[in-house]
């Protein structure tokens, strides 16, 4: 007899009492706990009120036959994976095909062999136990992701503020509940700092690297210039970054005279809308990788004007696909940003809406972060 922890519940459904009693006796001898029903209607009530591990189902029953009842159960989420074994006197080849076609997991002919019946029940129950464990682990993982997302929201809050008449706004939209993108903007020493970064990969590992990236930003000293800041980020992130990971980034600083200085480390080119035109900003330095090498960072500068806009994004935007597997591309992002800038509306919301319109029924497959500075 099985111990209490391993007992599984079997529901026997057959309109012939003798068949039900025989199955009940045999299965109880094997340590199963049995429930019985003599029609689909009675079976439905048992299933809705009891956790059943396997359903033994006769085919020929009054009012509703077994095949019809099985099809009905498969339309209900809670019974999509319930093991269902048909036990019937229908000729084996025809019966098996019908059982599979109507959603059954296996087919046993009457009169049945006890060892075959018990072996098949144990087989489908093993699969169900594995599925149940996977579901429990998935639910636990999703709960942990939700907690991690709340933490990440605190680490990377979306921002919108005004500084010297300049509006800074960020957007962060992870593909999973947490992601490896990073974006921030803040005021320091009477200058506006803008940082965007993208760690390769998705999910918890990429999010942890993104959190470490922010920690290194916290450790920057106010007296550091742009080159020193990037050198500090490189040195400290290379120490913790696995070899198969990389971080692209762009660090920009805007002074009160609207002079913008930036270092672009392998990131999509920033965009500037000025005098009615949208242009890519040139210059490319190496990305941050999990290997120690001597990188030469080039500082680029551009003089902006009142009324111009500065925009950066992660490649989850430019690599978003539509149902035809066409990418937006960096040129497409330039066009999207240009149209949004001309409209004069909420730039980031407009850009995001245009990306989603492009994707249509396809879901973006990568994290997205954006920042827009309106002068």
């Amino acid at each position: 007899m099985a111990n209490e922890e391993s007992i599984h519940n079997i529901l026997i459904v057959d309109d012939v009492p003798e068949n039900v009693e025989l199955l009940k006796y045999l299965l109880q001898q094997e340590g199963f706990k049995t429930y019985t029903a003599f029609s689909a209607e009675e079976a439905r009530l048992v299933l809705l009120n009891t956790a059943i591990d396997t359903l033994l189902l006769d085919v020929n029953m009054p009012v509703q036959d077994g095949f019809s009842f099985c099809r009905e159960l498969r339309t209900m989420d809670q019974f999509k994976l319930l093991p269902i074994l048909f036990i019937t006197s229908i000729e084996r080849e025809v019966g098996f095909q019908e059982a599979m076609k109507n959603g059954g997991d296996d087919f046993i002919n009457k009169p049945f062999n006890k060892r075959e019946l018990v072996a098949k029940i144990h087989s489908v129950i093993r699969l169900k136990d594995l599925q149940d464990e996977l579901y429990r682990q998935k639910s636990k993982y999703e709960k942990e992701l939700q907690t991690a997302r709340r933490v990440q929201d605190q680490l990377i809050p979306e921002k919108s503020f005004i500084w010297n008449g300049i509006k800074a706004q960020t957007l962060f939209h992870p593909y999973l509940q947490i992601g490896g993108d990073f974006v921030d903007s803040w005021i320091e020493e009477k200058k506006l700092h803008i940082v965007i970064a993208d760690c390769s990969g998705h999910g918890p590992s990429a999010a942890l690297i993104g959190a470490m990236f922010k920690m290194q930003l916290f450790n920057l000293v106010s007296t550091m210039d742009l080159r020193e800041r990037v050198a500090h980020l490189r040195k400290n992130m290379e120490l913790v970054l696995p070899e198969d990971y990389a971080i692209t980034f762009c660090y920009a600083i805007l002074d009160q005279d609207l002079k913008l200085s930036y270092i672009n480390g392998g990131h999509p080119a920033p965009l500037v809308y000025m005098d009615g035109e949208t242009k890519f900003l040139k210059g490319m330095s190496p990305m941050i990788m999990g290997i120690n090498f001597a990188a030469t960072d080039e500082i680029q500068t551009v003089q902006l004007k009142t009324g111009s806009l500065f925009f950066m994004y992660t490649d989850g935007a430019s690599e978003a696909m539509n149902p035809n597997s066409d990418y937006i591309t960096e040129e497409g992002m330039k066009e999207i940003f240009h149209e949004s800038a001309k409209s004069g509306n909420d730039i980031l919301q407009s850009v995001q809406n245009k990306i989603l319109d492009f994707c249509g029924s396809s879901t973006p497959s990568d994290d997205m972060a954006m920042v827009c500075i309106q002068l």
Side-chain angles (χ1 to χ4, degrees):
M1 204 72 161
N3 62 48
E4 287 297 319
E5 291 184 355
S6 65
I7 288 179
H8 291 88
N9 297 333
I10 311 294
L11 173 58
I12 304 164
V13 186
D14 195 317
D15 63 325
V16 179
E18 292 79 6
N19 294 339
V20 171
E21 289 302 315
L22 174 60
L23 286 167
K24 180 179 177 180
Y25 173 77
L26 294 175
L27 295 179
Q28 285 179 343
Q29 292 299 307
E30 294 295 324
F32 295 112
K33 184 174 182 180
T34 59
Y35 293 82
T36 61
F38 299 96
S39 67
E41 182 179 4
E42 289 182 12
R44 195 177 294 110
L45 291 174
V46 175
L47 288 167
L48 291 174
N49 292 282
T50 309
I52 296 298
D53 297 300
T54 299
L55 173 60
L56 300 183
L57 185 58
D58 186 29
V59 173
N60 296 314
M61 297 186 296
V63 185
Q64 185 175 14
D65 65 75
F67 291 145
S68 170
F69 183 50
C70 184
R71 290 197 305 272
E72 174 191 324
L73 292 176
R74 293 312 191 202
T75 65
M76 305 168 72
D77 288 340
Q78 66 266 47
F79 302 126
K80 285 185 182 297
L81 298 178
L82 173 67
I84 299 177
L85 302 182
F86 284 102
I87 301 183
T88 180
S89 56
I90 296 176
E91 191 272 322
R92 186 174 187 83
E93 184 174 345
V94 174
F96 182 80
Q97 291 176 351
E98 287 299 311
M100 298 301 103
K101 185 172 70 175
N102 286 281
D105 293 289
D106 211 332
F107 174 91
I108 300 172
N109 263 123
K110 293 178 181 176
F112 54 82
N113 179 285
K114 176 189 173 182
R115 283 184 293 182
E116 178 190 11
L117 171 66
V118 172
K120 288 191 174 186
I121 291 175
H122 279 299
S123 177
V124 294
I125 283 181
R126 276 197 301 272
L127 289 175
K128 184 178 185 299
D129 286 345
L130 287 172
Q131 289 168 344
D132 289 347
E133 179 60 25
L134 286 173
Y135 181 79
R136 283 191 292 271
Q137 293 297 329
K138 179 175 179 287
S139 298
K140 180 181 177 182
Y141 179 68
E142 287 176 346
K143 185 176 181 180
E144 291 175 349
L145 280 181
Q146 290 171 2
T147 302
R149 176 60 194 273
R150 288 194 292 271
V151 173
Q152 190 173 49
D153 285 343
Q154 296 298 315
L155 285 172
I156 315 175
E158 293 187 348
K159 290 184 175 181
S160 181
F161 62 90
I162 304 292
W163 172 72
N164 286 350
I166 297 169
K167 181 179 180 180
Q169 190 175 11
T170 66
L171 180 147
F172 176 58
H173 184 79
Y175 165 55
L176 298 173
Q177 289 179 322
I178 54 176
D181 286 4
F182 176 86
V183 63
D184 200 2
S185 183
W186 69 96
I187 309 302
E188 186 178 337
E189 296 293 311
K190 298 181 180 181
K191 294 181 180 180
L192 179 64
H193 291 245
I194 312 112
V195 177
I196 194 165
D198 184 2
C199 175
S200 56
H202 309 286
S205 57
L208 284 172
I209 293 171
M212 287 189 286
F213 186 87
K214 178 159 187 174
M215 288 173 62
Q216 295 308 318
L217 285 176
F218 278 139
N219 292 332
L220 296 175
V221 179
S222 61
T223 56
M224 288 180 172
D225 61 22
L226 178 58
R227 191 184 301 278
E228 291 171 330
R229 287 168 179 265
V230 170
H232 174 93
L233 289 170
R234 282 192 183 282
K235 176 183 176 182
N236 288 281
M237 290 308 299
E238 284 171 358
L239 293 175
V240 298
L241 199 64
E243 288 188 9
D244 54 343
Y245 279 78
I247 301 173
T248 68
F249 70 94
C250 190
Y251 196 136
I253 300 177
L254 181 70
D255 64 24
Q256 292 178 313
D257 296 326
L258 306 188
K259 179 183 175 183
L260 182 79
S261 302
Y262 64 93
I263 293 176
N264 183 0
H267 205 74
L271 291 164
V272 165
Y273 176 83
M274 190 161 54
D275 297 329
E277 294 185 22
T278 297
K279 296 181 179 180
F280 291 112
L281 293 185
K282 65 178 183 178
M284 188 68 70
S285 298
M287 66 182 71
I288 300 172
M289 294 179 287
I291 55 175
N292 189 10
F293 73 102
T296 302
D297 291 311
E298 297 183 10
I299 298 179
Q300 308 293 332
T301 60
V302 60
Q303 183 63 50
L304 301 180
K305 301 178 182 179
T306 300
S308 57
L309 288 87
F310 174 65
F311 175 72
M312 294 193 293
Y313 60 92
T314 55
D315 62 10
S318 56
E319 294 178 1
M321 285 195 306
N322 65 15
N324 296 324
S325 298
D326 300 317
Y327 292 102
I328 287 182
T329 73
E330 291 189 24
E331 282 292 339
M333 284 302 298
K334 178 183 176 183
E335 182 178 339
I336 285 174
F337 171 62
H338 181 75
E339 291 174 356
S340 299
K342 285 198 305 181
S343 71
N345 298 324
D346 184 330
I347 305 300
L348 295 188
Q349 188 61 59
S350 175
V351 169
Q352 186 180 36
N353 289 342
K354 290 180 186 298
I355 291 171
L356 295 176
D357 287 344
F358 175 88
C359 293
S361 59
S362 298
T363 302
S365 59
D366 199 358
D367 310 324
M368 282 192 285
M370 304 177 202
V371 56
C372 184
I373 310 299
Q374 297 175 257
L375 287 73

